[in-house]
Structure formats: C-alpha cells, structure tokens
Amino acid sequence: MPHILLFLAIAIITIHRAAIAQPLNTSFRPGKKWTDTNGNPIQAHGGGILFYEGTYYWYGENKDSVNAPMVVLPGWSVDRVDVIGVSCYSSKDMYNWKFESLALPAAKNNPESDLHPKKVVERPKVIYNRITKKFVMWLHIDSEDYKAARSGVAIADKPEGPFTYLGSFRPNGLMARDMTLFADDDGKAYQFYSSEDNKTMIVSELTADYLKPSGRYKRIFIDQSREAPAVFKHNEKYYCITSGCTGWAPNPSEYAVADSPLGEWQVKGNPAKGEGAQTTFNAQGTFVIPVQGKANTYIFMADRWLNKELKNSSYVWLPLQVKPDGSLEIYYKKEWKLSEFTP
Ligand code: GAL
C-alpha cells in the first residue's frame, strides 16, 4: 500500500511539473505567438527595454482587452482597446521573459485620471536616473479621440515598479503623441516625440532628474509626418529610426543620423532591406536594443499590429546591422539566434 501511495505522489508531481514547465526558448521567432515563462501571451506592445544590473526589463502596453473602436465621425472609427496598464517582464537572455508586474495599472474607478481605461496609454519607455536612483517612465497619454496629445511621467524605486504616476503635460507646450526616451552616456536624456499634429518630430532634452523638459529642444523631420521613434548611439553617432504615419497599418521605415541629439539630423532612407522592406516586414518599430557585452549588436524591435484584434498583435524583433560606412540594414529572418549575429 505505501508503495502505491508513493507511486501516486510521484506521478502527480511529475504531471503537475509537466503542466507548468514551459519549454525554454532558444531563438527569436518574429510574428509568432510569444509566451512568458508562465505560458501566457506576452502583453508588452509599443514597448521598450531597460538593461539594469544584468537583467533586461521589457515595458509595454498590455492590450489584453477586446477592441472597443472609438467612432470619430459616422462611418469612421479608430480601433482601440481599453487601457489595462503597462506590463513589465524581465529576462537574462531575451528569449525567455518572466512576467514581473503590471508596473503602472489603469485607474479603473477614476474617469478623470489619465490612466482610466477609456483613455490612451501608449509607447511607455523607462530609463534609470543615476543621480536620483529612480526608474523614470515616460509615455504617450491621450484622450479616447487622440486629441489631448500629452506625455505622462511615472517613477519607481525598482525596475519592476510599482510606478507612481506624476501626471501629464504637453512638453514644451507642444502636442506629443508617439515617443521614446534616449539616455546618453554623459547622463543627459532626451524625449523624441511626434508633435504638431504628428507632422514634425521634436527632440527635447530632459532636466537632470529626467522628470521634465529642460527647455532645450529642436524640431526635426519638419513636415515629414514621422512616428514611432527608436533611438540608439553607435560609434559616437546618433541614429533615429521612425515609421510613417498610417495608424496601425505598416509603412516603410526611415532612419536619420546626427552627431548629437540636438544636432542636425540627416535622413538616410529605409533601413529595412529585401522582401517586405516597404512595410517594415508588416510591422512598426518601437525600440532598438543594444545587446549587452556584444559590440555592434542591436535588435530592431517592432510591433505587427492586428488592428481588429489589437491584443493579438505580435512582436517582430530582427538583427540590426551598422555597416562599416555607418549605414543601417535590417533583413527579415523567420527565426534567428543572437549567436548567429554577424555585425
Ligand atoms: C500609430 C501609432 C500607435 C497608435 C496608433 C493609433 O500611428 O504609432 O502608437 O497611436 O497609431 O491609431
């Protein structure tokens, strides 16, 4: 009898383990269903990555609600989902992501709050401030009809949050929609945002605590209607990859290079090459990840939006190569590993 009980106990433990253990991912599979280490679909759209003390943190929009289109005019509606909040995942290898928290949750019961489910909370980005030792999140805050065009700021003591929401404003008094943050090696940080009805991009230096614009800013890509900025630095040059302005529908990307964030930005063309380049491989950029410990190794991080089912939008991460002449190339790969990266 004790043997049978022992056998049953072992069998139950084995079945239980098999049910919860997820196979380890060993590659990137753009556009496929990406699940976290608990087996749940990753909800981190329009996201960005922070590397802190040996761990990558991925912040993005949790869009796990049903589409609730906003009718702008009779017969014309904009696809959107109610706000759930900003998710945070962590990983050491970038293939396997552990859900950490809903780092900035929606304010469900306060219709006045920027974080109420009926508002727009998009493209969160987090940087670490070495002086204040705070993790600082900026994000696009909008009204349901996208008319408010503001930036929100939240801070935390730990990368996984919880983040305390400080409020929103129009940076430099100007409209702000799609945005990113870039922290330079000298400790200065910048917000890049689509402004002036999305026609012009602004590069705006932040104050030393990263909580506000310093007042120094520059208008770039004037009347070019660029969105979804993703910024990185390589060999003392600054790169900004943007999308065109076609809502959830994909379009060709474009990159520009400058000698300093507030300097002259020179537009160079589409970094995407080969088949699918005209739609950025059916995706829209959101961030460029510098792979730690590997020289000249960057990942172009993009979203393949499913506009009628936004929660099932997928992630398209691809190797980004900086060629010896400073030009950028992104090719599509169905499946790839960091080990095969040849910059
Ligand atoms: C895109 C933008 C997204 C979202 C969408 C709404 O152009 O990049 O972040 O705002 O429009 O239609």
Side-chain angles (χ1 to χ4, degrees), residues 106-318:
K108 287 189 192 146
N109 301 321
N110 181 2
E112 300 307 313
S113 168
D114 286 345
L115 305 177
H116 185 262
K118 286 293 167 204
K119 301 288 175 68
V120 168
V121 173
E122 291 181 339
R123 297 194 177 271
K125 304 288 177 290
V126 175
I127 52 178
Y128 177 64
N129 188 295
R130 289 187 293 228
I131 303 169
T132 61
K133 302 199 176 352
K134 298 281 183 199
F135 296 85
V136 183
M137 179 189 292
W138 283 58
L139 61 181
H140 170 198
I141 294 289
D142 229 314
S143 45
E144 195 180 9
D145 59 4
Y146 282 91
K147 287 199 176 121
R150 297 164 77 84
S151 296
V153 180
I155 50 170
D157 293 323
K158 292 184 290 176
E160 68 274 21
F163 279 79
T164 304
Y165 188 63
L166 301 181
S168 72
F169 45 82
R170 281 192 163 182
N172 305 299
L174 301 167
M175 295 171 91
R177 291 202 178 92
D178 278 12
M179 55 139 285
T180 196
L181 294 180
F182 172 73
D184 208 346
D185 310 321
D186 62 2
K188 287 203 166 128
Y190 303 83
Q191 183 197 15
F192 287 64
Y193 59 95
S194 298
S195 192
E196 303 173 10
D197 280 318
N198 297 4
K199 289 198 180 69
T200 294
M201 181 115 2
I202 307 276
V203 188
S204 165
E205 188 191 74
L206 305 186
T207 48
D209 58 9
Y210 300 169
L211 301 183
K212 290 193 181 70
S214 75
R216 291 180 71 213
Y217 71 89
K218 187 177 175 106
R219 297 167 73 234
I220 64 172
F221 316 147
I222 296 166
D223 289 334
Q224 300 298 302
S225 295
R226 307 305 302 172
E227 287 195 319
V231 177
F232 69 103
K233 183 180 186 180
H234 175 80
N235 271 354
E236 297 309 309
K237 297 269 185 209
Y238 297 81
Y239 290 85
C240 178
I241 304 177
T242 57
S243 76
C245 191
T246 54
W248 303 115
N251 53 54
S253 294
E254 196 172 82
Y255 76 101
V257 187
D259 289 329
S260 68
L262 293 172
E264 295 303 319
W265 285 85
Q266 283 184 12
V267 175
K268 297 287 188 183
N270 190 349
K273 308 287 174 201
E275 203 182 324
Q278 285 312 301
T279 61
T280 316
F281 315 113
N282 192 10
Q284 181 185 31
T286 184
F287 200 78
V288 170
I289 312 168
V291 180
Q292 300 298 312
K294 281 182 142 235
N296 190 6
T297 307
Y298 301 95
I299 299 175
F300 176 64
M301 194 175 158
D303 297 285
R304 184 171 288 167
W305 301 114
L306 270 187
N307 65 322
K308 294 295 171 207
E309 220 182 318
L310 283 162
K311 68 174 181 182
N312 290 329
S313 301
S314 57
Y315 310 102
V316 174
W317 291 16
L318 293 167

